Amino acid sequence: MLVDHNSPPVPQEGAAPPAAPSPNARRAAGLLLAVALLVLVTAASVAFGARTVPPGHVLHGLFHSTGTDDDVVIRDLRVPRTLLGLLAGAALGMAGACMQALTRNPLADPGLLGVNAGAAAAVVTAIGFFGVTSLTGYVWFALAGAAAVSVLVYVIGGSRSATPVRLALAGTAVTALLQGWTSAVELTHGAALDRIRFWQVGSLAAADVGTVRHMAPFVAAGVLLALAVARPLGALALGEDTARGLGARPALTRLAAMAAVTLLCGAATAACGPIVFIGLVVPHAVRRITGPDMRWVLPYAAVLAPVLLLGADVIGRLVTRPAELQVGIVTAVLGGPVFVALVRRGKVAAL
Amino acid sequence: MTPGIQPPADSAGPSGPGLASGPEVDSGRLRAEAVTLAYDRRVVAEDLSVTVPDGSFTVVVGPNACGKSTLLRALARLLRPERGRVLLDGQAIGSLPAKQVARTLGLLPQTSVAPDGITVADLVARGRYPHQGLLRQWSRHDERVVAESMAATGVSALAGRPVDELSGGQRQRVWIAMALAQQTPLLLLDEPTTYLDIQHQIEVLELCADLHERGVTLVAVLHDLNQAARYATHLIAMRDGRIEAQGPPAAILTADLVERVFGIRCRVIEDPESGTPLVVPAARRPTGANAAAARPADSPAP
């Protein structure tokens, strides 16, 4: 009995679109464009700021620094700040993409599993009780807090038998608990409050070379781990049984993805505060361009998230010169309407 | 478990061949040896031994909750047996590397999720998973296998379309194409026709028969006894977690077996279309003034 698929009146609505450029070629071209955009934004981040530095002096500061005021601004302030923005942006974008794939929730942000709350609680504790004041001091507390909460959420969520829903619920519960702690410390330690508030808004302003150096290995490890779980996460997106039928190992994949999110988000949060919005909106927007294949979503998110973060930072430096607006505020103000537009367009398309 | 898709077939005709359970088949790459299956210690089936004959189209039938899907899950190593073992090529399936199993044994589960906005070609391409690795993400060969799988299931024309826009029958063919792209000599299907209307049920079963002719060993759980009898080369009938009979449909499918397994009285006649056994439930006995009219019937013929 051979199948003749045309004999039963199967409605084959509309033939396939003509084989124009292959989807992968289109995605690769888009990625190149995104990289070009990132280069542009990076240049802007070095060139513009509260202090007006002529282009010639910018280059001088970058390549032949002799210690003039402009050189110092470029080398000790703007370059580390830009590097931090690149690292933190890429980390948050990839962490968000992983989190959304892991929980199969298109609106998950990297903080969903309590990573940010854990980092925040640890930083607040460090400032309030241990008198830690320097950023390099927070970094370790924030990372430890993020890691501890990740492990806790994983265990509460059912360890090897964890499901996305259980993980998200556990994360929400732990976040609520930690937020209570964070608020309590803030209210009872008035002196620490200002510093904490500043950190919580999210800012790149406190960057120095040391912070970047502390963060880089964590982000690098997180990036590698995230790229390694891209394909398994893609298999997992087809449902648990299908994934196992394909030879994926869901428990291991979830564990690795959580570890990647902790490394990426923990490091970014430690250095510049919980700027979760980037991790929510960028992967969401990226999927509109690439489709759901994580092997494309992750690189796109890694490039476009720093574009948004650095772009917002540059704007924040310029609009209220010589004061500046924290990047966390600007990303929300900029990204919010874009996100609303995305969500609305999605609804229309789905109808 | 599932919405009744169709009533049993039309009536009339003499009884079919009546035989005892078929002989146990020994040559099979996939077999279960005395497995006890349980969910959270709730035992669903005990001491099952099943061999999937190589090159067969094996169909598992039985009433709802008889353990047939559970058996399939165990064969697909989705469920670890409490006791006994499932063997693939002579080795305990749970001890083999996941990807190695996935290169030998494909699976179409009841519940699959198509990610939002994924295209048919991209979904089928995910069937290449067990053949890929960190350093071997995608190759020309993968590309060709995906194209062939789509051609074999008749979905090539849909390649660029989002899966969410397809009809139920088309979607099921796409999932089968994905399982095909896995290029496994064995393919397990858990109720592949559920939720499809009769036209698409036949379409999917014809596709399975087609794959079987190409040499794929198939194991499917089906609800419809007559469809099972028509397409299967090897039938496994289950009730209450036990295997009542296994063997070629013509050899084991008797009125007695149907009564034991499904608890209905029937006659088994020869299917006028295919010559396979056809189960015809007994007419309703007139119990009072209302003489029972023959029930409306759907012909299973395509």
Side-chain angles (χ1 to χ4, degrees):
Chain A
M1 289 186 229
L2 275 166
V3 190
D4 178 3
H5 288 291
N6 295 324
S7 64
V10 184
Q12 301 264 359
E13 314 102 41
S22 89
N24 280 351
R26 205 169 40 88
R27 289 168 185 150
L31 192 58
L32 276 180
L33 204 69
V35 170
L37 201 61
L38 181 60
V39 170
L40 220 65
V41 175
T42 305
S45 171
V46 175
F48 302 119
R51 180 187 174 99
T52 310
V53 181
H57 290 205
V58 172
L59 292 176
H60 184 264
L62 277 177
F63 300 112
H64 319 281
S65 172
T66 49
T68 65
D69 283 358
D70 280 351
D71 288 353
V72 171
V73 166
I74 296 294
R75 282 180 74 96
D76 293 350
L77 296 177
R78 291 208 190 147
V79 168
R81 184 172 185 157
T82 304
L83 286 176
L84 183 67
L86 287 172
L87 273 183
L92 288 168
M94 287 180 91
C98 279
M99 191 60 100
Q100 289 174 8
L102 177 67
T103 57
R104 281 189 224 141
N105 174 359
L107 293 181
D109 67 53
L112 189 72
L113 297 189
V115 174
N116 285 326
V123 168
V124 163
T125 309
I127 296 172
F129 292 98
F130 302 111
V132 177
T133 51
S134 75
L135 193 90
T136 40
Y138 309 159
V139 172
W140 299 110
F141 278 93
L143 275 172
V149 169
S150 277
V151 172
L152 186 67
V153 166
Y154 185 69
V155 170
I156 297 176
S159 306
R160 283 186 59 80
S161 57
T163 61
V165 175
R166 285 177 70 175
L167 285 175
L169 285 175
T172 308
V174 171
T175 299
L177 200 73
L178 289 172
Q179 273 169 355
W181 168 253
T182 304
S183 304
V185 175
E186 280 174 4
L187 290 176
T188 49
H189 292 73
L193 186 59
D194 271 352
R195 226 173 289 132
I196 294 166
R197 267 205 320 220
F198 184 72
W199 180 82
Q200 273 191 335
V201 170
S203 169
L204 300 176
D208 60 37
V209 184
T211 316
V212 172
R213 218 173 264 149
H214 276 124
M215 227 186 119
F218 293 98
V219 174
V223 166
L224 290 179
L225 202 53
L227 290 175
V229 293
R231 251 169 26 86
L233 278 176
L236 220 55
L238 305 178
E240 189 94 6
D241 286 353
T242 311
R244 291 177 65 188
L246 286 172
R249 282 165 293 177
L252 186 67
T253 302
R254 273 198 274 272
L255 188 62
M258 271 189 78
V261 169
T262 305
L263 285 167
L264 291 169
C265 192
T269 307
C272 35
I275 314 177
V276 291
F277 193 70
I278 298 245
L280 166 64
V281 70
V282 170
H284 199 78
V286 161
R287 276 198 304 273
R288 292 293 166 90
I289 308 171
T290 62
D293 190 339
M294 285 296 282
R295 288 172 301 175
W296 286 104
V297 172
L298 283 174
Y300 262 87
V303 174
L304 287 179
V307 169
L308 177 57
L309 186 65
L310 275 182
D313 189 45
V314 172
I315 291 171
R317 284 181 237 164
L318 297 181
V319 284
T320 54
R321 256 205 308 199
E324 59 177 70
L325 219 49
Q326 269 85 0
V327 67
I329 297 171
V330 183
T331 37
V333 170
L334 274 183
V338 176
F339 193 53
V340 169
L342 275 176
V343 171
R344 276 191 57 86
R345 215 181 55 178
K347 245 185 209 152
V348 173
L351 281 174
Chain B
M1 222 192 309
T2 55
I5 285 167
Q6 69 192 112
D10 23 355
S11 47
S15 211
L19 275 176
S21 302
E24 191 83 14
V25 192
D26 277 337
S27 78
R29 302 181 66 175
L30 182 62
R31 52 200 299 181
E33 280 185 357
V35 291
T36 295
L37 307 174
Y39 292 111
D40 284 333
R41 304 226 173 75
R42 190 173 58 82
V43 174
V44 175
E46 250 175 314
D47 201 26
L48 291 184
S49 290
V50 168
T51 299
V52 176
D54 288 339
S56 69
F57 186 164
T58 296
V59 173
V60 189
V61 293
N64 287 348
C66 71
K68 52 190 193 298
S69 282
T70 309
L71 173 62
L72 195 85
R73 289 178 68 80
L75 290 174
R77 56 94 171 74
L78 295 183
L79 182 69
R80 183 192 295 272
E82 295 279 297
R83 275 195 300 280
R85 46 190 199 150
V86 174
L87 298 175
L88 178 64
D89 292 330
Q91 283 178 288
I93 201 167
S95 68
L96 295 169
K99 279 195 178 178
Q100 187 187 324
V101 174
R103 287 193 292 264
T104 313
L105 186 147
L107 170 69
L108 186 71
Q110 271 184 52
T111 52
S112 296
V113 192
D116 251 0
I118 194 168
T119 61
V120 169
D122 282 350
L123 183 65
V124 175
R126 295 206 179 172
R128 298 301 296 161
Y129 184 87
H131 299 275
Q132 299 168 333
L134 259 187
L135 301 176
R136 205 186 148 285
Q137 296 271 348
W138 190 248
S139 71
R140 287 247 169 254
H141 179 65
D142 292 331
E143 193 90 48
R144 202 172 61 239
V145 172
V146 168
E148 284 167 7
S149 305
M150 289 195 294
T153 49
V155 296
S156 303
L158 308 173
R161 294 264 303 273
V163 174
D164 348 319
E165 288 178 8
L166 305 183
S167 73
Q170 290 172 327
R171 211 172 301 164
Q172 192 63 309
R173 292 211 310 260
V174 170
W175 283 109
I176 294 175
M178 189 201 79
L180 273 190
Q182 223 171 314
Q183 283 193 307
T184 57
L186 279 152
L187 183 56
L188 312 188
L189 308 111
D190 196 356
E191 302 195 9
T193 55
T194 301
Y195 304 123
L196 299 180
D197 57 33
I198 179 76
Q199 177 202 344
H200 293 119
Q201 287 179 28
I202 300 290
E203 199 180 295
V204 165
L205 288 168
E206 289 287 323
L207 173 57
C208 291
D210 193 21
L211 299 177
H212 174 239
E213 277 184 353
R214 294 181 191 203
V216 180
T217 303
L218 293 168
V219 184
V221 169
L222 292 182
H223 262 293
D224 188 296
L225 197 51
N226 284 324
Q227 288 178 351
R230 177 176 280 197
Y231 289 96
T233 62
H234 186 81
L235 198 62
I236 298 174
M238 291 182 70
R239 178 183 178 85
D240 293 338
R242 292 186 321 274
I243 289 170
E244 289 287 336
Q246 47 184 327
I252 66 161
L253 196 56
T254 61
D256 176 51
L257 178 74
V258 175
E259 180 146 14
R260 266 190 294 141
V261 171
F262 290 95
I264 55 164
R265 292 181 314 104
C266 71
R267 284 196 284 171
V268 177
I269 61 171
E270 185 175 299
D271 186 327
E273 279 285 323
S274 58
T276 52
L278 181 66
V279 174
V280 181
R284 183 174 172 229
R285 267 175 289 199
T287 50
N290 297 332
R295 296 198 178 172
D298 255 316
S299 164

